[in-house]
Amino acid sequence: LSPPYLPRLATTLMDATTDKEPLVQEQIYNALCYLGEAEPEEILHCCDEYLRQHDKLAYPHRVIILKAMETVVKNNISSLDKSTAKVVILLASSEMTKSKEVVWEWQQAASNVLVAVGQRFINKVMEEVLTKFQPGILPHYFVMQTFANLAVSNVFGMVPFLNSILGTMLPMLGMAKQDHMKSVFCYALQHFSESIQEYVANLDQAPDPTVRKDTFCNEIFSAYEVLFNSWLQHREPKLRLAVVEALGAMSYLMPGEKLEEQLPKLIPAVLSLYKKHTETFYISKSLCQILEASVDIGSRSLDVQLDALLGTLHPQICTPADPAVPLTVKNHTEVLRCFTVLACSFPDRVLTFLLPKLESSSEKTRVGTLLIMRQIINSAPSQMEIKKPSILSSMKLPLQDSNNKVRRAVVQVISAMAHHGYLEQPGGEAMLEFLVRQCALPSDPQKPLPDGDDPTSDSVRSISVNTLLLLSTTVDRMNNVLWPYLLEFITPVQFTNALTPICKSLMHLSVKKREEGGNASLIPYDLNGNLPSPHALTTRLLVRGLGTECCPSLGDDMRAMGHGGNGLNPTDRAQMWGNPPTRGGAAPALQHGAVGPHPWSCPRLLQETLAAVSDNAWICHFVTEMCRQLNGYNGFPTEKNFLYKCIGTTLGACVSKELVQKQLQELLETARYNEEAEWEGLASCFGICAINHLEETLAKLEDFVRSDVFKKSVGLFSIFKDRSDHEVEKIKSALILCYGFVASHAPRELLLSRVEADILRNISQYFSTKVLGIKVETKDLTLKLCLIRSIAMISRAVRGSTKCTDFILGRKAELVAQMVEFIKAEPLDSMRTPVRQWAMVTCTHLELFADTFGALQELLKTLLQRSLTPHGLQDMFAHLGPWIKSSRQQERQRAVELSATLLHFYLGRLNVSTVVPFYNLGVLIALFSPRCSDSVGSVRQRAVDCVYSLLYIQLCYEGFARDHRDEMVEGLKALKKGLEEPDFTVLFRTCTNIAMVIGKRVPPDQLMSLLLAMFEGLADPDKNCSRAATVMINALLKERGAVLQDKVPDIMSIIHSKLQEVDEEHVRKAAQQTVYILAAQHSGVVVSSLLGSALPFDSHTCAMWSALAAEPNLTAQILEQLLEKLTRDVPYKESRAFLLGGSSERVATPLPMAATCALHEIMSAPESGPAVLGLYAPLFVTLLLRVSCTVGVQLPKSLQGRDRRSSSHAAASRSLQPCSCAVQTLRAMLAQGGSEAVVVAVGNAGGWEMMENPERHHEGIAVLAGSMARHAGPRLPLIVKSLVPTLSSALESQRVTATAFLAELLSSNVVNDLILLESVMDSMTGRQKDPCLLVRVLALRGLGNIAVGAPEKVHKHGATLLASMVNGLDDRDDPNNLVALEAMTSLSKLLEHLEERDVQAMLLHIAIRIRPFFDSEQPDLRRSSIVLFGNLTKFSEGECEAFFEQILNGLVTLLLHLQDPKPEVVRACKFALRMCGPNMGCEGLCDMFLNHLRDDRSLHYGEFMNNVCKHLMQSYPEMLNRLVLTNLFYFKSTWVDIRAAAPMFIGKAGPAPCCSFHVVSMGVDWGWVGRSWRSPPNVLIL
């Protein structure tokens, strides 16, 4: 906003404060603050004027304005001038004290304004406020509060005033009878005291370093006596709190002997208040200040008061603080500060009081005492140094406490102790063990209590974990305490939950130890007998770090531990963990901290590690430790199974076969067979072990079966009564699974010889037993599944052997029969039972697939034979379709093979008696044709066979014989050769050829269904097929697209939807190619279809538009169509409110908006450059006019939400606002048209933003025109030719834009060079009668610009130009004289180049016409008119007498306006007077003007006027009366300085000695004064 609008706008806002809606009031406040940021002083003056003029405005509305003033002052205090500050101070002071009654909100707001101003202008504020603070008169409440707040906000400025203020205030304390006045006096005394303390504490920065605390002691003590003796016993609680708060701050400033004298009374009085008040923060704060002041003076009174203090303060801490009530938290803080003061002075007595309370039966007492202990440990370290043993000893009972609150408090105490060396003392280990136990707390299944007061186990665990990590990372003195002590907590099961923080802490500690160098990082086992062995540590970390999903971060910790210890392995740790073997890729994963709980990568890592160790003794100890820890993971199946795998891996690396057998036997005997989850781990262990110890593994399995543990009677009675049948079945299941895993992992060269004799035989025995000679098979489902899984693993292992070609599995038939029995026994109502699925998979591994597949082919042929029709074919492929498109290669391979067989069968059996339509040909061809580029070669070949069969089936349905051979269809066979190579280029070229064959043979009615189905192929999981689908779609459209005009909108919609579904680059490019092909055939339909897309265009629509920029000829055609659509419809519609007489609101129409967005997308593509160059002029003019039509135009309501909402599919964020969109499109057009320099130049000048601003749009157009003239001159003739007709447009906005553009062009000589001057000038001349004022202004500006662009042409068209300017001066429809202003400015530019004879004819007319503007309220009018007057003097030679009269008429005005408040007007007056001087016939006066009125010279106005008047009286004595009368009219000037200069002028031009004058008072009849103008020149009017 320009300054002239600010006062009106601010007044309008302040008028609206009467609105009752709080939201509206808040918005008004924000608006005033925003305006204040732009023009702070003007807004503050507006607020001042408004409040003074509206004295009756209710106080709630005044508050809004005052708050806005406060904010403006705060934010602009550094730039505020003194005069404005003075105005604000006077207003705020008046508002604050206007009402003698206390009106809190109103007067507080005024007080805040004074405090804000006082930040910089403290003296001015105090000067004003002290006038309202007179001795003997009780001041206004807010005067005292303002003093208090100023003391806080501006300490250094306020303290020098406090002595006098206190001197005046003290007698008033006795006069205060009302509670609120007593409270404000207390408030002031408190803040005065705090301010003095801060001042004294920062004397090095203070303006007066001589100020001391003693300066204020006597006054403060006098006030203390009144407050303590009279006011503290008051019945009103709030007043008592105000008093006690003041007393605390005042105690620092009281004389030492007086304070010592008062303490025996003061402390008990303050302590007694705890019983009277629930809000105790202010009491505690004051008490702490009193205690600190007492300690500072070395008081002896505290010793007597200590017991009372401790007894009163301790319950305050024991009462829990409520976080929802901030004052209770602050009270705790102040009470703890009190304990700090007391502990520093009386450490023994304080500890004697506190330590026994740790044994209290009250939870609150124990928690509160612990909080105090933490405080004094932290804040009184030197006093507590010798008390460390007794403090540690007293913590024994709290360490055993089970209450979560106490636990949390103990953890906090431990943290404090660690920072001050307590944990290094004897007994510190117990503290650390307690901390680790809290880290291991299990999650609390119970929910927190409703009040949330009691911490859960999770919260205690969290704070403990954080504390442990803090101690290990930031407290250096704890390094030797924690290392290697924390290692003791790794292996015990009870600390499992704490492993992660323990390992993280150890990792940080080990890094620190390594940085120390030497042997610091080695674990001193000889000094720490309780440390776990290296094998135990390695096992524990391996399992917890890599074998569980709940501790993935321990992978890094395990690696760090490998570096941190000296006994984790006997080899170089760098070889083992820093540079692990790379075989299998698992070990490097650990090195980079990326190992997760993968079932096979970790045993492989272990295998590589053990190979690096190559120490059999260490490995034997290692595996023994693993087996020993196995039972510790009962209840943790994931970790236990992982440990089983590790045991198997380690046993495999063990050289001692005896140890292997012993450990395997132990595993079989101790396994928990009742838990099915453990079978997998046990079986994995045996399988992995069998890699290196197959003989021992099989032997141990057989030995176990023969052992007493497993024996069971084969008769009716059991030998062991304690083992049930169900339990034995579980053992059998586990053993069967073990055999499967053994076969799966065993070396293939050893497996074949043992598979039947040792593995299958034993499995068969375990599964079925004989009772009384009868074979009985189990019905246990789990046992069945284990059997099937094992046989599947065995079959897969046998098939994978390199020697299996000659191997014949003797039990194959038996196994197959067993699987078939299982399948038959399953219920028929469910096809997907676990047994049936596994049995079928097992059959597959037993090499029954070929037979099964053949049977399936025959079955489907039989089904197809029953319905040998297109409908039957459709049903068949509805089931096969998902398999044909499967992501699995083998499934696609089988499905396409089956399809080719079925289609060949169908063709061979087809017998068409009548011609019927093959209605689903397109769908079926679309199913198979993309598979011609499948990643599997056999699928490609058979897919061509499918297409071949389908086309011949179509020919049969068209009436051709079955043996008919079509040349084009037969060509498909030749194309199959191109599908043998996987080269993409060859594949897609072949696909194009196949699509051409399909396009020529598919009937027209099937073409659309073919394309629709082909589009579905874009989402094919095989990217080759997806690409093939796009290739074929485009080939079909090139071949047959001409007949699809009616279907183009549908195709465009499908392309858009597919782009949304498939986020692949190749699909996007192919879709763009499709759009291009369609546009080349049906450009109009494509454009119309895309224009119908929802605004704003999403990224996919944008991509489709961009596709139309690919080929210059097509792009040019599309651009022309869009330009036609852009100009065909009206750019906006007027809203209903406007039609009903309300305010104007223009709403954009959708089609031009869409066309604008489309142009932007096309011209954003680099390929559009040639087309844009060819249509440069029409594009530029159309878009320029589009910008003009959208300035200030709103979005339709239906689009407003979309513009604000960011879409995930939207293109790069672009505004949908009509004008912004048009500007962006114009920028894109210029950039693509080779005018990047124009875009940059306009941007640097801020022109693009100006174009969108309704107030500055024409300025932005002028910037654009100037840039075009400089950087794109050759483009201008066609642009001007197209733009000139729009000067007569019915749309005012277009006339403004065209006029602004052409007017600015006239300031460049390129217009003259291109022979455009006359036509553009004529156009500007013709706009002088335009109904739009701005057009008339711009037209005159353009004519004036000729003086800059083609000055040599001015004299040729002088008469015309001069006439235009005079007409502008005489414009009657110009209420604000904007046309006249432009006419004067332009005429000043033209005068230098006009012929004198042309000007002289109009000289007097112009001079008389511009004279009234000398005193205009608008500074621009004053400046321009005065400058023009000065320029006119050059042409006054022929009209010397007449023009001299005009000079005399304007002389007084010019001289007075040398005091104009606007510097630019002053400079204009100096210029005019210098120009007038030579024409006045007074050489002295002329010299004065030339010498004293230079722009670079300051002017002493009084002295200058004195000399001017002397020269005037000497040269023109007859002018005196005229000069005096002219000055009289300025006595009431609105400008203060001019109002003051006028009487001075008269005084300087006093009566000459030779003249007599009648003196007339300014109070006489002004009618007589008027008549005196006609009197002789001897009447002087004063």
Side-chain angles (χ1 to χ4, degrees), residues 1189-1211:
C1189 293
T1190 54
V1191 177
V1193 174
Q1194 303 298 316
L1195 274 174
K1197 289 184 179 179
S1198 59
L1199 293 179
Q1200 289 175 2
R1202 299 183 199 172
D1203 183 46
R1204 289 190 297 268
R1205 190 169 56 247
S1206 61
S1207 169
S1208 59
H1209 298 290

Side-chain angles (χ1 to χ4, degrees), residues 1345-1392:
N1345 284 341
I1346 297 176
V1348 179
E1352 68 279 5
K1353 297 289 185 180
V1354 173
H1355 69 276
K1356 178 181 178 182
H1357 306 284
T1360 304
L1361 293 172
L1362 192 59
S1364 297
M1365 298 303 141
V1366 173
N1367 289 337
L1369 290 172
D1370 295 335
D1371 195 311
R1372 301 300 180 193
D1373 189 15
D1374 184 15
N1376 294 319
N1377 295 308
L1378 296 177
V1379 178
L1381 173 62
E1382 192 59 50
M1384 289 187 291
T1385 304
S1386 297
L1387 184 53
S1388 290
K1389 292 190 289 186
L1390 291 168
L1391 283 176
E1392 186 177 346

Side-chain angles (χ1 to χ4, degrees), residues 941-1132:
Q941 299 288 333
R942 297 302 277 161
V944 176
D945 293 339
C946 292
V947 174
Y948 177 89
S949 298
L950 285 169
L951 291 177
Y952 268 116
I953 292 171
Q954 168 63 24
L955 290 172
C956 289
Y957 278 116
E958 290 179 359
F960 290 94
R962 244 199 342 246
D963 58 353
H964 169 73
R965 289 293 171 263
D966 184 272
E967 183 179 352
M968 293 198 71
V969 178
E970 287 299 318
L972 291 175
K973 290 184 177 181
L975 294 175
K976 289 176 68 174
K977 187 171 182 59
L979 300 176
E980 294 175 358
E981 295 296 329
D983 182 75
F984 292 146
T985 307
V986 178
L987 284 180
F988 295 144
R989 190 184 308 118
T990 306
C991 287
T992 303
N993 294 332
I994 293 172
M996 293 175 65
V997 174
I998 294 171
K1000 285 182 167 51
R1001 285 293 172 262
V1002 171
D1005 59 326
Q1006 292 285 301
L1007 185 58
M1008 193 60 189
S1009 63
L1010 170 62
L1011 286 171
L1012 293 178
M1014 198 76 82
F1015 275 116
E1016 296 299 322
L1018 296 180
D1020 197 291
D1022 189 315
K1023 291 188 178 180
N1024 276 0
C1025 297
S1026 175
R1027 289 190 178 95
T1030 62
V1031 169
M1032 291 184 165
I1033 288 170
N1034 291 336
L1036 286 169
L1037 287 174
K1038 285 181 182 177
E1039 186 72 26
R1040 302 284 293 277
V1043 301
L1044 293 172
Q1045 181 170 348
D1046 296 339
K1047 301 295 183 181
V1048 168
D1050 296 334
I1051 296 174
M1052 296 292 288
S1053 177
I1054 293 168
I1055 293 172
H1056 184 267
S1057 65
K1058 289 302 168 187
L1059 284 172
Q1060 288 178 313
E1061 294 174 15
V1062 185
D1063 187 18
E1064 296 286 349
E1065 180 65 18
H1066 72 273
V1067 173
R1068 187 183 67 82
K1069 290 183 177 179
Q1072 289 180 308
Q1073 180 69 11
T1074 306
V1075 173
Y1076 167 74
I1077 293 169
L1078 288 172
Q1081 298 166 337
H1082 313 287
S1083 61
V1085 183
V1086 169
V1087 169
S1088 298
S1089 176
L1090 285 174
L1091 285 176
S1093 303
L1095 289 173
F1097 293 149
D1098 60 21
S1099 59
H1100 310 304
T1101 306
C1102 293
M1104 295 166 75
W1105 278 115
S1106 299
L1108 302 180
E1111 197 276 320
N1113 291 333
L1114 174 63
T1115 306
Q1117 183 181 350
I1118 299 294
L1119 291 176
E1120 288 175 347
Q1121 292 181 26
L1122 289 172
L1123 289 178
E1124 189 271 332
K1125 292 183 182 295
L1126 187 62
T1127 56
R1128 185 176 63 189
D1129 200 358
V1130 293
Y1132 55 80

Side-chain angles (χ1 to χ4, degrees), residues 133 152 300 474 647 715 858 957 1057:
F133 184 66
V152 173
R300 299 177 181 178
T474 62
I647 292 172
E858 294 305 318
Y957 278 116
S1057 65

